[in-house]
Amino acid sequence: MPQDRDFEKAIDIVTQWIINYRIKVADFPVLSRSKPGETLDALPEHAPETSESFENVFADFEKLIIPGITHWQHPKFFGYFPSNASPPSVLAEMLIAALGVQCMSWATSPAATELEIRVVEWLRDLLGIPSVFTGVIQESASNSVLAAMVAAREKATQFTVNENGYGDFKLTAYCSAEAHSSIEKAAKVIGIGRNFLRKIPVDHDQRMRVDLLEKAIEEDIQNGLTPFFVVGAFGTTGTTAVDDLAAIANVVSKHGLWFHVDAAYAGAALVLPEIRARAQGIEKADSIVVNPHKWLLTNFDCSVFLVRDRAILIQAFEILPEYLKTSEDEVVTNLRDWGLGLGRRFRALKLWFVLRWYGASGIQKMIRHHISLARQLETWISENAAFELVARQPFNLVVFRLRKDDQANLELMRSLNESGKLFLTHTKLDGGIVLRLVIGQTDVQKHHVLEAWNEIQKAAANNWIK
Ligand SMILES: *Cc1c(COP(=O)(O)O)cnc(C)c1O
């Protein structure tokens, strides 16, 4: 049996490895070159019968696992959205694992619940969101929108669906055609049916057509359906487009619906006062989600979910079997009642470490730095006639394309990603392929962006530019 002194030795190996990984991450190919089934085939079919030395396990971690890893912390990881694991969040994660607490009830770790309450307030204030909102840290924005939809459903049906199911209710929800797939997933999960999530067309800036939203709601009412839930986006996943939240809020309040703002990614930029005017109307939301686990330097998972009226959320989710009752239930907050999970990770510790390590000014500086690098890249792209910029937004995502067909753009992306030197992803815009390059890594510097742009130009010049 491994003993505690083995743990001491092993933890030294692991911490040393983590320190070196952070230094050397840029030497790895960003995208894993592993082929389908390669890792699986290298792993024995059965768990070991007897104890193995940690040295053996760790050697296999390096030999079998690392080659199958895509390096999300690589400074030239420009794909999807970043999932930053900054140093303070890594430190907190180690402590969270060591403590191994479940934060379902106040009594199961009072400090965990109370720290969660406090850091969520800190973040809310840092983002300029009004103090009527209180919140909780969920695993993901997908869980957050699911929780919002359940609360909205119960409000709209006077808490009868929780008791008796849908009965005669036919609920309808609304988001833009550019909204995140998690909203459709939530519509499937809560059982309104995804065809009853109306995907409202967008304008040429990928913003929801609010006139069409209103029309859709009115049509549904006329047809005997019950509209209940509208999502506005502050930063869509495809292009970080921002819906007109104030106009949506007007329509929503006219019909008494629930207004959820999906600021999962770009919400991080609200730490900058100069960005806040773009979020006008967010203060009218019933719920808001912002993921510190994307751009706010906190490793996955940490999704902050804010609600205006927590009583509705709690009534929708509250459950109190005898074995969970504690003598403090009257006076404390039990965060298990704020969403789906009973067991809850101690995520607040990560956000607390991050906010204190960088301070508000350090975080603002980093976000401004990323945004300015994105503007710099846009300038370079605009100087090369072989490329065009599309869907420009004030955040750190640059959307562009080679002035060739879709195939050429996809091949350009594939060749760059296979080179291992950088990683970027694509999306479809108005039916055509565009490339997305997000500059949001903890350690990204101007030279990384310039090197990436040079690689892109070189690959294009070798293959598509005569
Ligand atoms: C990433 C993203 C989500 C989903 O986030 P998860 O935390 O991974 O569920 C939702 N909405 C937007 C706008 C996103 O960018």
Side-chain angles (χ1 to χ4, degrees):
M1 277 299 113
Q3 304 294 315
D4 262 10
R5 64 172 190 286
D6 297 320
F7 181 65
E8 256 180 64
K9 253 191 353 204
I11 204 165
D12 279 344
I13 295 173
V14 169
T15 43
Q16 204 50 55
W17 189 90
I18 292 173
I19 293 166
N20 286 333
Y21 179 68
R22 286 192 42 77
I23 295 167
K24 295 233 221 69
V25 63
D27 298 342
F28 287 96
V30 191
L31 181 67
S32 165
R33 292 175 169 153
S34 187
K35 300 275 176 294
E38 198 176 320
T39 311
L40 195 56
D41 288 345
L43 297 167
E45 281 181 33
H46 302 287
E49 188 59 36
T50 54
S51 168
E52 294 190 53
S53 78
F54 184 72
E55 284 76 6
N56 275 358
V57 178
F58 200 76
D60 280 348
F61 164 73
E62 293 201 280
K63 188 167 126 223
L64 306 180
I65 304 302
I66 290 298
I69 292 295
T70 287
H71 296 279
W72 283 70
Q73 306 311 312
H74 195 298
K76 289 189 216 164
F77 182 101
F78 300 114
Y80 311 110
F81 282 137
S83 184
N84 280 312
S86 68
S89 71
V90 171
L91 296 173
E93 193 70 87
M94 290 165 74
L95 295 171
I96 292 164
L99 294 171
V101 293
Q102 282 293 344
C103 311
M104 52 205 184
S105 309
W106 178 87
T108 60
S109 273
T113 293
E114 295 184 14
L115 181 66
E116 187 160 336
I117 292 170
R118 187 60 87 214
V119 291
V120 167
E121 288 170 355
W122 279 9
L123 186 73
R124 173 200 68 199
D125 295 348
L126 280 178
L127 302 178
I129 293 170
S131 58
V132 303
F133 289 91
T134 51
V136 62
I137 306 180
Q138 310 273 25
E139 174 191 9
S140 69
S142 306
N143 294 53
S144 296
V145 71
L146 180 68
M149 233 186 237
V150 170
R153 178 191 73 191
E154 292 311 303
K155 185 183 180 206
T157 62
Q158 293 85 48
F159 296 88
T160 59
V161 175
N162 262 0
E163 302 303 321
N164 301 313
Y166 281 96
D168 292 334
F169 281 111
K170 274 242 169 275
L171 300 182
T172 52
Y174 309 80
C175 63
S176 89
E178 285 288 313
H180 192 263
S181 55
S182 56
I183 302 160
E184 181 169 324
K185 220 187 224 181
K188 294 205 283 188
V189 171
I190 76 160
I192 64 166
R194 69 185 171 125
N195 292 332
F196 292 84
L197 171 67
R198 314 299 195 197
K199 293 191 181 155
I200 308 298
V202 293
D203 65 15
H204 54 273
D205 289 324
Q206 290 77 50
R207 294 151 60 95
M208 184 197 277
R209 286 270 309 272
V210 183
D211 56 327
L212 297 182
L213 168 69
E214 183 151 32
K215 200 162 146 240
I217 291 172
E218 282 164 4
E219 262 176 39
D220 283 333
I221 294 172
Q222 269 165 21
N223 291 328
L225 305 173
T226 306
F228 80 113
F229 190 76
V230 179
V231 181
F234 183 78
T236 58
T237 308
T239 66
T240 57
V242 174
D243 287 334
D244 185 343
L245 302 179
I248 296 174
N250 279 339
V251 173
V252 167
S253 75
K254 201 155 107 190
H255 294 282
L257 316 183
W258 185 286
F259 182 27
H260 177 73
V261 172
D262 183 356
Y265 181 69
L270 294 174
V271 297
L272 304 181
E274 64 268 27
I275 292 283
R276 290 192 195 144
R278 296 173 189 274
Q280 219 182 358
I282 198 172
E283 71 285 353
K284 305 221 171 87
D286 293 288
S287 54
I288 303 168
V289 63
V290 178
N291 282 353
H293 71 223
K294 282 180 167 170
W295 196 4
L296 266 186
L297 302 165
T298 309
N299 72 313
F300 191 85
D301 53 347
C302 184
S303 173
V304 169
F305 177 56
L306 297 163
V307 277
R308 175 181 299 280
D309 186 348
R310 63 173 176 260
I312 297 172
L313 180 72
I314 293 169
Q315 196 180 333
F317 278 101
E318 196 171 40
I319 221 141
L320 193 56
E322 191 54 37
Y323 53 82
L324 287 178
K325 285 183 184 158
T326 65
S327 53
E328 304 90 1
D329 285 339
E330 293 295 307
V331 290
V332 298
T333 300
N334 289 315
L335 291 173
R336 62 167 190 264
D337 296 331
W338 294 54
L340 188 65
L342 169 62
R344 306 180 70 256
R345 278 161 47 69
F346 187 9
R347 305 179 187 103
L349 196 72
K350 298 191 282 187
L351 189 53
W352 191 50
F353 272 35
V354 167
L355 295 178
R356 295 184 65 183
W357 180 287
Y358 293 100
S361 62
I363 290 172
Q364 288 168 330
K365 193 168 154 212
M366 181 147 352
I367 300 261
R368 280 199 186 101
H369 172 59
H370 293 157
I371 290 175
S372 79
L373 290 177
R375 296 298 81 76
Q376 172 68 75
L377 176 61
E378 284 178 348
T379 305
W380 290 330
I381 292 175
S382 68
E383 288 162 358
N384 184 332
F387 291 87
E388 70 177 317
L389 288 165
V390 288
R392 297 179 77 159
Q393 293 294 341
F395 306 111
N396 64 340
L397 165 65
V398 176
V399 188
F400 66 105
R401 59 187 296 283
L402 187 62
R403 291 184 198 269
K404 296 281 171 188
D405 60 11
D406 285 357
Q407 198 55 32
N409 276 281
L410 287 172
E411 276 174 30
L412 171 63
M413 177 179 76
R414 196 173 42 76
S415 72
L416 290 164
N417 291 347
E418 277 177 3
S419 79
K421 291 177 180 159
L422 68 150
F423 177 70
L424 73 173
T425 51
H426 75 285
T427 191
K428 263 192 175 167
L429 196 63
D430 302 325
I433 297 291
V434 293
L435 305 180
R436 298 169 72 263
L437 197 155
V438 191
I439 305 166
Q441 296 300 90
T442 310
D443 294 320
V444 67
Q445 297 303 331
K446 186 172 172 181
H447 71 90
H448 297 119
V449 181
L450 181 60
E451 286 156 18
W453 173 231
N454 285 338
E455 288 298 329
I456 295 168
Q457 293 185 102
K458 202 167 83 191
N462 287 343
N463 293 292
W464 295 283
I465 306 171
K466 294 290 163 277

